[in-house]
Amino acid sequence: LLERVVKLLEEHTDFTIVEEVKGARIPILKLKFKAIVDVDLSFQNTEPLPNTQLLRAYVALGGLRVRDLGVLVKLWAEAAAVCGATRSHLSAYALTLMAIYFLQVDPTICLHVLPTDIFHGEAGTPEQVQNYKWRCNFTLAELLYKFFTFFASNFQWGTEVVSVRVGRRLPATDPAY
């Protein structure tokens, strides 16, 4: 399957194959779409689907603010060369979770904490959260500034855990984790 997908992608000019990780438990193709967007394509692995559904629900809830803050943080991390689990840095996914967590715990923002147990990887947003409403009055620039301030000055590195499932600030030793 991997070889067939590689052949198809090689014929598609919008994709560049950056790396083939064949020896991993779950093979991954690292791609670049239109020389801009990094894409990790995995095969026969449904484990990430609930997480993807959860992230989409947060974007549906928070609109451009949630999506764009996550994208800006990832772009900054890539430009600063501090993104990438293969290089012992935080993954793009971890940075996205950090952005959502920040939006949840900042007392002036208060993004809803969605119940993670209702996300099973299906298409769409679960009915239980479709009527959630959230409004953010901060500009994207203000959110980015507040994000960096939070993680540089307020977050308790080494004792606090980022958890969008819990969505509140607790030490890593708390039983909620």
Side-chain angles (χ1 to χ4, degrees):
L1 178 64
L2 180 66
E3 289 78 21
R4 285 189 285 165
V5 172
V6 167
K7 282 185 178 185
L8 288 171
L9 288 170
E10 286 173 339
E11 296 170 7
H12 201 291
T13 58
D14 286 343
F15 285 99
T16 304
I17 299 172
V18 177
E19 181 182 2
E20 295 178 45
V21 185
K22 295 178 181 178
R25 182 176 62 89
I26 296 167
I28 293 187
L29 278 179
K30 294 190 169 290
L31 309 169
K32 196 69 109 165
F33 179 70
K34 292 190 175 186
I36 299 171
V37 179
D38 290 318
V39 177
D40 286 353
L41 181 62
S42 65
F43 298 87
Q44 299 171 329
N45 178 20
T46 59
E47 291 174 21
L49 296 180
N51 295 338
T52 300
Q53 185 186 26
L54 176 67
L55 294 181
R56 285 187 179 151
Y58 273 112
V59 169
L61 171 66
L64 297 179
R65 292 289 191 265
V66 173
R67 184 198 71 186
D68 291 352
L69 180 62
V71 169
L72 277 179
V73 169
K74 289 189 287 186
L75 289 173
W76 164 81
E78 288 173 8
V82 295
C83 180
T86 58
R87 295 187 306 266
S88 299
H89 297 298
L90 293 172
S91 68
Y93 178 69
L95 292 164
T96 301
L97 293 179
M98 288 172 67
I100 292 170
Y101 175 76
F102 154 72
L103 292 170
Q104 290 172 329
V105 301
D106 184 289
T108 64
I109 300 171
C110 300
L111 179 66
H112 290 287
V113 178
L114 301 180
T116 57
D117 61 329
I118 65 170
F119 294 91
H120 304 290
E122 297 92 5
T125 303
E127 283 185 40
Q128 299 94 314
V129 297
Q130 287 181 0
N131 293 323
Y132 281 37
K133 303 289 183 224
W134 176 75
R135 182 171 167 82
C136 179
N137 295 317
F138 291 101
T139 67
L140 191 54
E142 290 169 328
L143 288 175
L144 187 62
Y145 175 81
K146 289 170 75 63
F147 171 87
F148 284 123
T149 300
F150 173 74
F151 281 106
S153 303
N154 301 75
F155 186 77
Q156 301 299 305
W157 292 97
T159 60
E160 188 173 348
V161 174
V162 170
S163 175
V164 300
R165 179 183 58 81
V166 176
R168 64 184 186 276
R169 298 184 70 185
L170 295 171
T173 56
D174 192 283
Y177 295 117

